[in-house]
Amino acid sequence: MKQQYKSYQQTCDFLQDCVKKYPNLITIESIGKTWENRDIMLATISLNVENADLKPAMLYTGTVHAREWIGNELAVSFIDYILSNYNTNPKILRTLTKNTLYIVPCLNPDGFEYSRTHFSFWRKNRRPNGDGTFGVDLNRNFSVGYGKSTDTASNVYSGPQPFSEPETSAMKNFVDNKDNITIALDYHSQGNVFFPAHKFNHEQEIDGTDLNTLCANMNYEIHKVTGRIYGIHRGKPPTKLISGSGREYYYSRGIIAVVVEVGTRNIPDFMQNMQESIDENIPALLKTLGEAQNYSKNAPKRVKNFHIKNVASNEVTLSWDYDCDKDIYFQIFRNTENKEACNESNLVCETFNTEFTDIQLQSGTGYYYYIRAVNNLTLVKSPYAPKTKIKTLLEPDEFSKTIFPNPKEVGYVASKLSESNRKHFGLNSLFIGVNETKGTSYGVMQFNLDSIPNDAIIKDVRISLYPLNRVNAKIEKFGEWSISFVDTQSVSELSDYDQINNAKIIETLGQTIPSEQLTQGKWSHWDFNESEKDILQTQLKDGKLLFKISGPTSLPQGRDSQMMMFDLGYGNFGGGLHYRPSIDIKYTIPSKEIVIDASSTVSVYENGSIDENLICGFDANNNKIYGSFDFDLNSLPDANETIITDCYIQIKNKSATKTKQDIRYNIEFVDVENISYESIQNRDRIEFIGYEVSRADLQKKKTHKFIFDYYSCLALEDVHKDNKNAKFIIKPTSSDIKNHTVDWYGIDSKNSVKLVVKYISRRKVAVNQVSNLKITKEKSQVKLTWENPNCEDFKGTYVVRNRFHKPKNHLDGDKIYAGMDNYTYDDFGSVKIDKYYGVFTYDNVPNYSEPVVIEYKS
Ligand SMILES: [Zn+2]
């Protein structure tokens, strides 16, 4: 009864018109008759449409559920857009040259018309069930995972048997007879979220990256139009998975299949909202139609064994396998978030090689890498290899901690729930926003900072929340979600609504999430800016951080909910540890300073040395005189735990002979065994220290500092590790000069040449690996056991699972466990699937060990 929307009959008439106008581009057919004898119309669109079945194809289905009108409306608009623009838009022309679109605007015409004219929120088809009730949920009537139900009145009644309905059996017939379909999109409402297909287990699939990236690339197009970001949610344990849906049937036939949930209501305001949904989805649809060819039988094969070969703090080397083919090159994409697009904006490499080093990365940062093979002649691409994730190493002076709230210190407080707020802390999801039953609702989370030293110097901070469900955020572009620092002194009871509502806010983080960018299944992150880091810095002395998460607090006329649900990671409703809110803090600590006097000084002349003084310059025969000095580093702490952050040599000159010549002096860090004129002339130079000083400098001031660069600090650490003295020479840089010398203070109680070292104590290398790693099957679960290393600095193990290759990095796969235990179960993994497990140990930095890897064979 909303006039702007096209009816079933108008849609059929529109398709007829299209065929008349564009006979080369479109054909239509009825693929079946409904219970009420309506035709289920399917359009085929391609350039030279008579060849359509020979090209790779995308299948579009709309309005499977009667009340989800977007499916039909978007289909009509998309067809109209393609046909009226193909001859002026080269992108459409290219796309239709190589790909075919099969499109069913409305798979449930009976239900759709019933919804349009009688009962707006009708969902099923119009099968007479014989008991006075009507309808089968078509999206429960396909065969994969079909669940038999007897409640015919139910909105999700699955029908007497799989494909009992004319609509679903028509789809089955069509799809079974078309082996060129490579992608299927099923349009529903609502939620602004993509639901890619899955295989009813929680293991990575070979095409999992394809599914997520297809959605992410659509998201990229959507965002360009309206700024909106859809969620991408593949279903996660232990959530029950939908049975008998069309998506799973298409996927079971090797088709990349996705449900797209559009909008925030089943039947939105046409002018305000539906038009936006249509406008943002058309470019996304066109993009995806162009991908059909990349999943065809003739597309290049997927890259194998895409893995991390090497990781440093600022670079990563990736490597992969491919059967030799001179026409194939590779595209590598890099993202810092999961489920982001792969396109020109993040393409970091194109190469014919099978190895690539990515440079200028941030330390201690997670990166996702993706790879595709491309045929250089046809430009047809392969599917994606499973993505790989790494975390770059920390810089030598950095530490990082991921902190989770305790269960009693995370939850939500709602204005209408008062007393019961306490009960759901650490149990229910975080409901944040406003609705009729809960009233205004805030999230509360407190982090204990015991693991961070009070004097830590904060470098980077990120808060992460996992958006679990946005289906109750029902209003488009209304409200935003934000996080505020709360003065911990102003709250004594975290679960008290009034206290949280009136808590003293120190500052609200600058970054907020507007409603149209609330995603589902895709993490939300808040990265702190400098002033926010400063606040955290001052909070360190409190030993804890308290945050209040706020959404909208009022609703417009006639609306009942704008409520967002974030995962708590505790309780029966959440997804466990993986999805717990967290704060990641990267920091360093203040350095200590130590001043070391030279242990010996020598002036070295061509014909002999003089101990305990320090002269350099030129003798009467134009020969250089070298000053040599060294330092005993034993007063520094254990070399394995000493990171030198800054260092300089301080040296003072007593006197210098006067000259107008431009004579300059410098200091070299050298590696010589015994000091003699000959050994110095043949010296191994490690590095110059700082810059040279001139005669003029010597006259202006007496004290000179020679500052170590980064490399020289590392070299000094090495000398310390080798338990040697650090040796230096000071000498003129000029030549052909006679009888000029500088007399430096050598070993002298007050003025001695000094080495000033700033350092921090931090482990440089990981603790030992675990030993005796074993794998067993217990209660139809995989169980891993091992022995932890016996070391004070051991802080835990990190266990990951990877179906495709041996994990090389602790993020290279699905996280199974992190902690101090010596065993773990793989709760959600399938015992029927071969895979690798990697166990890494870590210390308090953390440095991660090389993994101990074990292969599981089903
Ligand atoms: Zn639906």
Side-chain angles (χ1 to χ4, degrees):
M1 283 176 268
K2 303 272 179 188
Q3 290 299 328
Q4 300 102 322
Y5 286 91
K6 287 217 165 34
S7 68
Y8 166 74
Q9 194 52 51
Q10 285 170 319
T11 304
C12 293
D13 295 346
F14 161 80
L15 293 175
Q16 298 281 5
D17 277 355
C18 290
V19 175
K20 274 186 217 139
K21 263 165 107 178
Y22 305 100
N24 285 335
L25 290 172
I26 177 168
T27 59
I28 57 173
E29 64 192 287
S30 167
I31 57 168
K33 290 262 189 202
T34 64
W35 292 99
E36 293 174 356
N37 211 31
R38 288 189 179 88
D39 282 310
I40 302 164
M41 297 305 298
L42 179 142
T44 300
I45 299 172
S46 198
L47 202 67
N48 303 319
V49 70
E50 67 276 11
N51 295 327
D53 292 350
L54 303 175
K55 305 178 197 178
M58 177 179 105
L59 171 69
Y60 174 113
T61 43
T63 312
V64 175
H65 289 140
R67 65 193 175 201
E68 299 173 12
W69 298 3
I70 175 75
N72 188 67
E73 201 61 36
L74 175 60
V76 170
S77 299
F78 184 43
I79 294 169
D80 187 42
Y81 176 81
I82 295 179
L83 297 181
S84 19
N85 291 296
Y86 86 98
N87 57 358
T88 55
N89 181 333
K91 198 168 167 185
I92 301 179
L93 197 61
R94 272 199 305 272
T95 305
L96 291 183
T97 305
K98 293 191 168 181
N99 305 278
T100 290
L101 172 65
Y102 298 125
I103 184 163
V104 182
C106 179
L107 184 59
N108 182 4
D110 295 350
F112 178 51
E113 282 305 302
Y114 189 71
S115 161
R116 275 187 9 87
T117 57
H118 179 62
F119 178 13
S120 300
F121 291 96
W122 186 253
R123 172 181 165 103
K124 302 187 282 184
N125 73 352
R126 292 296 297 163
R127 174 193 182 91
N129 288 324
D131 57 0
T133 69
F134 285 85
V136 167
D137 183 347
L138 297 178
N139 215 32
R140 299 291 181 278
N141 187 244
F142 288 81
S143 56
V144 177
Y146 173 85
K148 183 135 177 96
S149 56
T150 49
D151 181 5
T152 55
S154 162
N155 245 341
V156 289
Y157 172 53
S158 60
Q161 74 267 335
F163 300 116
S164 58
E165 303 311 292
E167 296 88 351
T168 50
S169 74
M171 280 319 298
K172 177 181 178 350
N173 272 338
F174 183 79
V175 170
D176 288 358
N177 287 304
K178 291 277 187 292
D179 64 357
N180 58 328
I181 300 172
T182 61
I183 295 172
L185 298 180
D186 190 16
Y187 268 82
H188 291 245
S189 62
Q190 85 279 15
N192 288 332
V193 57
F194 296 98
F195 289 121
H198 44 67
K199 285 190 179 156
F200 293 84
N201 63 48
H202 295 287
E203 298 270 357
Q204 298 292 329
E205 300 297 344
I206 189 76
D207 51 14
T209 298
D210 296 295
L211 284 156
N212 282 337
T213 308
L214 188 95
C215 301
N217 283 345
M218 290 181 77
N219 235 349
Y220 189 86
E221 301 297 324
I222 287 168
H223 184 257
K224 269 199 278 190
V225 179
T226 56
R228 193 170 277 118
I229 301 175
Y230 284 28
I232 302 174
H233 206 176
R234 212 167 164 221
K236 64 178 181 58
T239 313
K240 195 169 166 286
L241 305 168
I242 290 172
S243 48
S245 79
R247 175 189 63 187
E248 261 61 68
Y249 182 71
Y250 309 140
Y251 188 47
S252 73
R253 298 194 49 85
I255 296 168
I256 298 292
V258 174
V259 161
V260 192
E261 297 276 2
V262 181
T264 53
R265 294 209 276 186
N266 286 136
I267 306 166
D269 184 297
F270 192 96
M271 300 283 277
Q272 276 187 348
N273 304 134
M274 178 57 85
Q275 196 58 48
E276 269 191 20
S277 294
I278 288 170
D279 289 346
E280 71 191 7
N281 270 285
I282 284 178
L285 279 167
L286 188 61
K287 168 93 189 157
T288 308
L289 177 55
E291 281 288 323
Q293 60 174 333
N294 299 327
Y295 290 95
S296 73
K297 288 186 219 66
N298 298 326
K301 295 277 167 287
R302 185 182 264 122
V303 167
K304 283 188 196 138
N305 195 23
F306 180 52
H307 70 277
I308 302 141
K309 193 174 172 192
N310 216 354
V311 187
S313 57
N314 302 111
E315 62 179 52
V316 168
T317 301
L318 299 156
S319 175
W320 57 93
D321 298 339
Y322 207 82
D323 292 338
C324 183
D325 184 338
K326 66 178 175 26
D327 293 330
I328 293 293
Y329 70 89
F330 305 96
Q331 291 184 323
I332 316 277
F333 305 90
R334 178 225 302 147
N335 284 322
T336 51
E337 304 271 344
N338 197 6
K339 301 179 187 174
E340 289 287 322
C342 289
N343 57 29
E344 194 57 42
S345 70
N346 67 334
L347 177 66
V348 289
C349 168
E350 289 190 312
T351 179
F352 286 101
N353 288 334
T354 53
E355 191 169 302
F356 164 64
T357 298
D358 196 17
I359 55 174
Q360 295 297 335
L361 303 174
Q362 299 288 313
S363 65
T365 303
Y367 292 96
Y368 297 83
Y369 286 97
Y370 302 78
I371 189 169
R372 258 185 147 169
V374 184
N375 185 308
N376 194 29
L377 306 175
T378 62
L379 298 182
V380 176
K381 297 165 183 171
S382 75
Y384 293 90
K387 69 166 192 288
T388 189
K389 186 184 179 191
I390 59 104
K391 196 171 202 174
T392 47
L393 302 185
L394 292 162
E395 292 288 1
D397 64 335
E398 290 174 345
F399 298 79
S400 81
K401 294 281 180 302
T402 300
I403 304 170
F404 304 103
N406 293 321
K408 289 282 160 245
E409 296 178 342
V410 60
Y412 71 90
V413 289
S415 60
K416 291 190 179 173
L417 300 183
S418 62
E419 276 314 298
S420 62
N421 277 323
R422 185 192 312 260
K423 290 187 199 129
H424 54 243
F425 263 62
L427 198 63
N428 283 5
S429 306
L430 290 169
F431 286 86
I432 298 161
V434 56
N435 70 14
E436 284 185 335
T437 52
K438 289 190 168 66
T440 299
S441 189
Y442 300 111
V444 182
M445 55 183 180
Q446 182 160 287
F447 297 99
N448 186 320
L449 297 177
D450 284 354
S451 59
I452 309 235
N454 275 342
D455 59 354
I457 300 160
I458 303 300
K459 293 180 85 167
D460 280 311
V461 184
R462 166 176 268 198
I463 287 181
S464 304
L465 283 180
Y466 190 76
L468 187 60
N469 196 330
R470 55 150 299 150
V471 82
N472 290 314
K474 293 186 186 173
I475 311 169
E476 293 284 4
K477 300 198 171 175
F478 181 79
E480 56 183 29
W481 278 254
S482 64
I483 295 186
S484 307
F485 275 107
V486 176
D487 181 351
T488 50
Q489 305 298 320
S490 72
V491 177
S492 57
E493 174 57 57
L494 296 182
S495 59
D496 183 308
Y497 174 81
D498 290 330
Q499 286 198 30
I500 296 300
N501 189 35
N502 299 321
K504 186 175 161 205
I505 301 296
I506 300 171
E507 183 153 302
T508 298
L509 302 185
Q511 184 193 331
T512 61
I513 300 183
S515 65
E516 64 272 23
Q517 293 180 3
L518 280 175
T519 59
Q520 174 176 336
K522 202 168 165 291
W523 284 90
S524 295
H525 299 291
W526 280 260
D527 289 307
F528 284 27
N529 63 29
E530 286 304 315
S531 93
E532 290 155 3
K533 284 182 227 170
D534 286 349
I535 294 170
L536 192 146
Q537 189 83 54
T538 61
Q539 297 274 296
L540 282 177
K541 61 178 184 330
D542 267 7
K544 57 189 174 184
L545 291 172
L546 179 57
F547 293 101
K548 171 180 173 182
I549 316 164
S550 315
T553 54
S554 64
L555 290 165
Q557 182 65 36
R559 308 305 290 269
D560 62 354
S561 174
Q562 188 73 336
M563 185 70 85
M564 184 63 201
M565 228 170 120
F566 294 93
D567 202 339
L568 199 63
Y570 292 108
N572 293 334
F573 306 99
L577 174 66
H578 306 264
Y579 301 100
R580 205 164 283 173
S582 65
I583 188 165
D584 283 285
I585 302 178
K586 188 162 90 178
Y587 64 93
T588 185
I589 52 177
S591 54
K592 294 174 194 146
E593 186 178 287
I594 192 165
V595 180
I596 305 170
D597 287 338
S599 350
S600 69
T601 61
V602 190
S603 306
V604 187
Y605 295 77
E606 196 198 7
N607 49 12
S609 301
I610 305 172
D611 286 350
E612 290 186 25
N613 75 1
L614 191 58
I615 289 170
C616 71
F618 296 92
D619 67 13
N621 301 320
N622 299 31
N623 291 315
K624 279 187 185 175
I625 307 162
Y626 299 96
S628 159
F629 51 95
D630 66 341
F631 301 97
D632 179 347
L633 303 177
N634 272 329
S635 49
L636 279 168
D638 182 356
N640 288 323
E641 296 187 6
T642 303
I643 306 282
I644 295 174
T645 54
D646 278 301
C647 189
Y648 63 89
I649 289 170
Q650 180 178 301
I651 189 166
K652 294 184 180 181
N653 62 306
K654 293 183 197 167
S655 63
T657 47
K658 286 212 164 87
T659 177
K660 288 224 159 70
Q661 284 173 295
D662 179 24
I663 309 179
R664 289 165 183 268
Y665 302 89
N666 68 2
I667 291 183
E668 280 178 34
F669 191 173
V670 293
D671 186 7
V672 283
E673 281 299 316
N674 302 303
I675 299 296
S676 70
Y677 204 73
E678 200 192 348
S679 69
I680 287 181
Q681 285 196 310
N682 297 324
R683 67 194 178 272
D684 281 333
R685 181 189 299 133
I686 296 172
E687 185 53 284
F688 292 105
I689 301 297
Y691 300 97
E692 68 283 351
V693 295
S694 67
R695 301 293 296 198
D697 295 333
L698 296 184
Q699 263 135 34
K700 266 185 265 162
K701 55 177 186 178
K702 294 281 175 217
T703 303
H704 307 276
K705 283 183 182 175
F706 290 82
I707 295 171
F708 284 52
D709 63 13
Y710 182 67
Y711 175 79
S712 304
C713 289
L714 292 179
L716 192 64
E717 284 183 20
D718 281 346
V719 170
H720 179 36
K721 192 169 143 219
D722 294 345
N723 216 0
K724 290 198 227 162
N725 280 12
K727 293 177 183 168
F728 301 87
I729 59 167
I730 186 161
K731 63 168 193 19
T733 61
S734 336
S735 53
D736 279 338
I737 294 170
K738 253 184 220 177
N739 280 330
H740 280 291
T741 55
V742 183
D743 195 357
W744 309 91
Y745 286 97
I747 297 179
D748 176 287
S749 59
K750 208 163 84 223
N751 296 311
S752 168
V753 52
K754 289 175 169 47
L755 181 69
V756 180
V757 183
K758 290 188 176 174
Y759 67 94
I760 61 170
S761 294
R762 173 195 180 275
R763 269 191 80 97
K764 289 181 183 176
V765 291
V767 296
N768 288 339
Q769 295 168 298
V770 301
S771 51
N772 217 1
L773 177 62
K774 285 190 183 130
I775 202 159
T776 49
K777 238 194 306 186
E778 210 175 276
K779 293 177 245 155
S780 72
Q781 279 184 331
V782 174
K783 183 185 186 185
L784 297 170
T785 56
W786 60 84
E787 282 166 35
N788 287 323
N790 186 6
C791 170
E792 215 176 288
D793 290 341
F794 168 76
K795 286 287 175 243
T797 58
Y798 200 106
V799 183
V800 295
R801 167 181 82 193
N802 192 311
R803 256 187 94 171
F804 308 110
H805 59 253
K806 295 178 179 174
K808 299 280 166 82
N809 181 283
H810 69 285
L811 295 183
D812 189 12
D814 295 320
K815 178 179 174 184
I816 301 298
Y817 173 75
M820 294 283 271
D821 288 345
N822 56 2
Y823 72 93
T824 187
Y825 290 94
D826 183 358
D827 288 341
F828 299 115
S830 163
V831 289
K832 293 182 191 140
I833 291 172
D834 295 352
K835 63 200 109 183
Y836 299 98
Y837 291 92
V839 182
F840 302 75
T841 58
Y842 59 88
D843 57 22
N844 80 327
V845 172
N847 296 295
Y848 289 90
S849 72
E850 289 294 311
V852 177
V853 176
I854 195 162
E855 189 174 5
Y856 172 77
K857 287 272 186 199
S858 60

